[in-house]
Amino acid sequence: VQTIDIPATLLEYFNVPIPEDMCGHSLRDTIAFDKKVRDAGLFGIFGGHVCCVDEDYVFMKAPANKENKPLYEYTLMPMRMVGFFSPSELRTASIVGPLPFTKGIPLMKIVSNTYTGAYPSGDLLFDIKNDYHQENPIYDDRIKEKMKIKMVRLMEEHDAPTEQYERLGLV
């Protein structure tokens, strides 16, 4: 499951129709019957690793370059969770979109200087059946390629900005 499944689950619980363009799935049957909702999930932290998990592996894709570029923040509000964008950051803004999930509304695209330090650790692959706590990375190019294919598919399904593919070296 993914975080995007929570809204769909809550809407169904309260008998509110789930919008057709919502990416998440209701988890009612997952909770009640352990029903699988997808074959892989996508997660990560802004500006850091983008991660793909399936039943067997977690693949963590690091930025392709130490500058971690290109990296942008997309927003309707000139602020982040921790405060406002600075005037110098806002000078980099352009109006883009609308993106598929913004229901026709354009957004500000702002150059991000956020860097989480993911580049030095590089790409990581873990066998979660044999290493649940992800303490010992494995090195298997065949599995890594399989996970990259799943990652790209999920990024496409979730309308990832095109520059994310470049930032991660997936182009």
Side-chain angles (χ1 to χ4, degrees), residues 15-165:
N15 295 315
V16 176
I18 298 172
E20 287 185 31
D21 60 348
M22 184 171 275
C23 292
H25 302 283
S26 171
L27 299 176
R28 180 187 62 188
D29 290 343
T30 303
I31 295 165
F33 309 111
D34 201 25
K35 181 183 176 194
K36 192 167 140 176
V37 293
R38 60 180 58 82
D39 70 337
L42 192 64
F43 66 98
I45 183 169
F46 181 79
H49 285 96
V50 172
C51 308
C52 182
V53 61
D54 66 11
E55 293 180 62
D56 302 308
Y57 302 100
V58 171
F59 175 57
M60 302 171 67
K61 184 74 182 94
N65 59 66
K66 64 183 174 186
E67 293 79 29
N68 198 20
K69 301 290 180 192
L71 184 62
Y72 298 93
E73 296 183 53
Y74 292 83
T75 184
L76 287 172
M77 298 178 61
M79 63 183 303
R80 303 181 175 94
M81 296 288 284
V82 296
F84 292 100
F85 285 100
S86 69
S88 63
E89 289 173 313
L90 288 172
R91 284 186 197 98
T92 72
S94 58
I95 302 297
V96 298
L99 300 177
F101 55 88
T102 64
K103 300 191 184 299
I105 301 168
L107 301 166
M108 286 190 297
K109 177 180 177 181
I110 302 169
V111 173
S112 179
N113 296 315
T114 303
Y115 180 68
T116 64
Y119 177 78
S121 60
D123 297 346
L124 298 167
L125 178 66
F126 296 95
D127 177 340
I128 57 176
K129 286 189 174 177
N130 296 308
D131 181 17
Y132 180 78
H133 295 288
Q134 302 170 33
E135 297 173 327
N136 302 295
I138 60 171
Y139 303 92
D140 187 317
D141 289 337
R142 182 186 58 79
I143 296 169
K144 199 189 263 189
E145 282 306 309
K146 179 182 96 167
M147 295 302 287
K148 277 185 191 178
I149 291 167
K150 287 183 181 188
M151 177 179 283
V152 168
R153 178 181 50 84
L154 289 167
M155 288 173 65
E156 289 169 350
E157 287 175 12
H158 293 89
D159 303 314
T162 56
E163 70 271 358
Q164 273 289 63
Y165 301 90

